[in-house]
Each structure stands twice: as structure tokens, then as C-alpha cells.
Amino acid sequence: MAKHLFTSESVTQGHPDKICDQVADAILDSILADDKNARVACEVFCTTGMVTVIGEITTDCYIDIPKIVREVIYDTGFNKPEYGFDSNSCAVMTSIDEQSSDIDIGVSKSLEKKSGEESFYNENGAGDQGMMFGFACNETPELMPLPISLAHKLTKQLAKVREDGTLSYLRPDGKSQVTVEYENDKPLRVDAVVISSQHNPDIDYDILSEDIIKYVIKPIIPLNLMDDKTRFFINPTGRFVIGGPAGDSGLTGRKIIVDTYGGYSRHGGGSFSGKDPTKVDRSATYAARYVAKNIVAAGLSDKCEVQLSYAIGVAHPISIMVDTFNTGKFSNSDIEKLVKEHFDLRPAAIIDKLELRKPQYKALSCYGHMGREDLGVAWEKTDMAETLKKAAETLHAKL
């Protein structure tokens, strides 16, 4: 029996990179609430006592960026001076320009539109070139890989026990990491769990370690996945008092693997937070997940990875690739044909279908953008599964 280990990580909302992602998406949400057609490319970085917001934003509305920054930081839990980073006293700096007119040429009027191809969804071209990946597998109910699913649940639980006072000595910054042992590509057991959590300086390490296992790990990891060989690593250095931006600088987009599939699937490289949906880094990645999830939900494969690629200013994708890793009931090329027939993957069509112009992004900026059935996002729906299943049956009959 072939066995292997695979590991994924997640981070809490107090992690410095995630603070930046949340700020960027809170700014985007605030703008979209008043101007759904705004162009936003917002980047954030933070360090000890300072947050800087930069980027290109074109909008008719006004938002109070420093106020948004402070509200987000307060909500993460960094609201006391003794934590080393404080929403009330940190400096907030901004440097914002409008979107380049050269980029706007392609986004506002696609190559197809310029060539006379009249269609509502040909109005807009892709906001940049690039390739985007989406993935789904049947390892969990939400059709996500098990390691990243468990890692996100652990960091959510870590935040919960801090916020509700169960472990009141914890502080906002934290991480989880889960290693799953696979046998013949099926999850067999959890081999190792790593939890690192910021804490006040007075807590005894042994108490912290016991509490994390009792109140964070055991309520989340199913008993049938753990055994006497499962290893726990709690704050492996023994001390994690200095955390958040005081312990490490933060930057938007630096946790893109946490945001997607924990490394289980390929990633095109583009990050999400702070980008309006004309940026295919965001919208097409969501669309690729939507396609892959519906393929798996339809029973066409146990695993599915979808790659889309775009050219700036062009509406239709340059390429569509489907890989089912030898788990498909049909060839990859046949499933690609079904995708092209039943999914409109032009940016304007994606934005319309997946409802991407409404404020919803700050909630996604922590604990993953994929598998978020708890948030009701459109790209997690499996409303195309039955259509794909019937189309596949028709295809099978022809074969």
C-alpha cells in the first residue's frame, strides 16, 4: 500500500499578513458598498506601530481609510498597548493613485468588443494576464483537501477560545499546521498537529500545552483520525509572547496558499485581497473553484483541478485545462468540452454569475476563500452539478 504525508497550515486573524489582507478587503468592501463598479487594487503592509495602505483606486465615493484600518485591527484583538501593537495608537499612512488609464483601456472595452463581437459579456476584458487554478476533491463534505480543512478549523477554534474567555491568556497571533497520512491517495490518519499561539508572559508552558490540546485540538480533530502515534507540537520554541506586527512585518497576499488549498493544488501566483473582481486573479480563481467543485459534486471525478488563463483586455479565456488525476469517469478532454459548453468564463459573466460586486470580502480574508460554505458565497454552490451529470450521461450514450 502506497503511503505518504501531506501538510497544510492556517493562521489566525491576528497574524501580521492576515491583518493586512483583512484591511485591504475591508477597504474594498467599503468602496463596493457605495460604488459597485469601482476599480480597486489595494496593498497593505504593517510593522511595529505602523500600517501603510498603497495602491490604485478609481471610485466616485469617499471612504475613511484610517478609520477602517483601526476598526479592523481592533477586531483582530490588537487593541491593548501591552500586546505590542495597538489599534488606537498605531500610525496609518496612505499612498493612493487612480488606476492606470492603460489598464482601463482593456478592462472597459475588451478586444472582442473592439472587433465588433456584440455581447453584454464582451463589454469587459480581463484586468490582467495570468493563470488561475481551482480545485476540489471528495475528502471532506465541502469538497476540500482534509489537511487545509482541519488547519482552518483549528485556527478558528484557537480564536474562539481566546475571544470567549476559555483561554483568556491567549493573544491574537497564532498558527496551525496539520499533517495527514494518506494511503493510496485516501486520508488515513492525522500524523501531526502543530499549534503556535501568542500568549501573555505569565502563563506556564505546561498549562498552555495541556489547554491547547484539550480545548483546541481534541474538539476539532476527529477521534477516528488520531491514534497513539499522532504527534502534538504546541508552541515548539516554548515561548510566543511577541506577536503580530511587533514580531514580524505583514503584507497582503503573502498567505495565498493558506487562502486556497494549503498547497494540495497548484496556484497561479496571484493573490486576492484588496482586488476588485475585474482582476482575474480573484474572479477567475473563484470561477475555477466553482467549476472544479461542480465536476466533483456531479460525480464525474474524485479530484479535479481546473486551470484558466487570460490575456489583459481579452474577455474569453486563452486556455482551459481540466486534470482529474486519473479519477475521472471520462477523459480530461471530454470534461473540458462539458466545461466550455456549460460555463461562461468571461470576466463579466463570472462577476455576474458569482455575485462578485457585492461587499463580502473581509469575511473571506481569513480562514480561506475556498470551502466557505459557512458564508454562502456563490462559488461554493453546486448548482451546476446536476446539469453536468445529465450532460455527461448524454456524452456517455454517444460514446
Side-chain angles (χ1 to χ4, degrees), residues 17-93:
D17 293 330
K18 275 293 149 205
I19 289 175
C20 294
D21 287 341
Q22 290 168 92
V23 167
D25 275 335
I27 290 170
L28 174 63
D29 279 348
S30 183
I31 293 171
L32 290 178
D34 289 331
D35 182 4
K36 67 178 182 178
N37 294 312
R39 303 284 172 78
V40 181
C42 175
E43 306 290 349
V44 181
F45 64 88
C46 64
T47 187
T48 305
M50 182 179 73
V51 177
T52 302
V53 181
I54 63 173
E56 297 78 45
I57 298 176
T58 301
T59 181
D60 293 330
C61 72
Y62 169 79
I63 61 167
D64 189 337
I65 289 179
K67 181 181 179 181
I68 293 170
V69 170
R70 296 186 190 283
E71 288 175 346
V72 170
I73 295 170
Y74 183 91
D75 289 344
T76 68
F78 279 111
N79 45 41
K80 297 179 181 179
E82 59 264 35
Y83 288 0
F85 192 75
D86 178 17
S87 59
N88 298 307
S89 60
C90 68
V92 179
M93 294 179 284

Side-chain angles (χ1 to χ4, degrees), residues 305-337:
E305 184 179 76
V306 173
Q307 186 203 48
L308 307 175
S309 72
Y310 292 84
I312 187 168
V314 181
H316 288 88
I318 301 301
S319 67
I320 300 172
M321 182 277 293
V322 172
D323 189 350
T324 60
F325 305 95
N326 297 315
T327 69
K329 294 183 179 179
F330 301 90
S331 69
N332 291 337
S333 60
D334 283 338
I335 297 177
E336 284 172 12
K337 292 176 184 177

Side-chain angles (χ1 to χ4, degrees), residues 92 117 135 144 188 192 215 218 235 262 275 298 348 381 395:
V92 179
E117 295 181 30
F135 181 79
M144 287 286 286
L188 179 64
Y215 293 107
K218 288 189 175 179
N235 282 16
K275 296 178 180 178
K381 293 179 180 179
L395 176 62

Side-chain angles (χ1 to χ4, degrees), residues 138-321:
N138 58 11
E139 293 180 10
T140 63
E142 67 273 23
L143 303 184
M144 287 286 286
L146 182 61
I148 189 64
S149 178
L150 292 176
H152 284 321
K153 289 176 181 178
L154 286 170
T155 48
K156 284 184 182 178
Q157 181 70 4
L158 192 60
K160 178 179 180 295
V161 298
R162 174 182 62 82
E163 292 169 354
D164 67 17
T166 300
L167 302 182
S168 59
Y169 56 80
L170 295 182
R171 291 182 177 177
D173 197 356
K175 294 182 177 183
S176 71
Q177 186 171 284
V178 178
T179 300
V180 173
E181 182 178 3
Y182 286 77
E183 184 174 64
N184 291 334
D185 286 332
K186 300 294 183 183
L188 179 64
R189 54 182 290 275
V190 171
D191 183 73
V193 178
V194 182
I195 299 286
S196 293
S197 181
Q198 187 186 12
H199 57 85
N200 72 35
D202 301 322
I203 190 66
D204 181 79
Y205 173 78
D206 290 336
I207 293 174
L208 181 146
S209 182
E210 291 174 5
D211 283 351
I212 293 293
I213 292 172
K214 179 179 179 180
Y215 293 107
V216 178
I217 296 175
K218 288 189 175 179
I220 296 300
I221 306 294
L223 287 175
N224 66 312
L225 290 177
M226 294 191 291
D227 54 33
D228 57 1
K229 294 182 180 179
T230 299
R231 298 167 292 160
F232 301 130
F233 299 89
I234 313 300
N235 282 16
T237 67
R239 180 178 171 86
F240 186 2
V241 174
I242 303 171
D248 192 9
S249 60
L251 182 67
T252 42
R254 203 155 57 180
K255 287 297 178 187
I256 54 175
I257 300 304
V258 171
D259 288 341
T260 52
Y261 309 100
Y264 200 100
S265 170
R266 286 170 282 195
H267 193 289
S271 61
F272 310 139
S273 292
K275 296 178 180 178
D276 76 80
T278 65
K279 303 290 191 297
V280 282
D281 281 340
R282 173 162 236 154
S283 53
T285 302
Y286 293 163
R289 162 66 176 171
Y290 178 59
V291 173
K293 186 172 184 179
N294 276 274
I295 288 170
V296 174
L300 303 189
S301 66
D302 295 335
K303 295 181 182 180
C304 182
E305 184 179 76
V306 173
Q307 186 203 48
L308 307 175
S309 72
Y310 292 84
I312 187 168
V314 181
H316 288 88
I318 301 301
S319 67
I320 300 172
M321 182 277 293

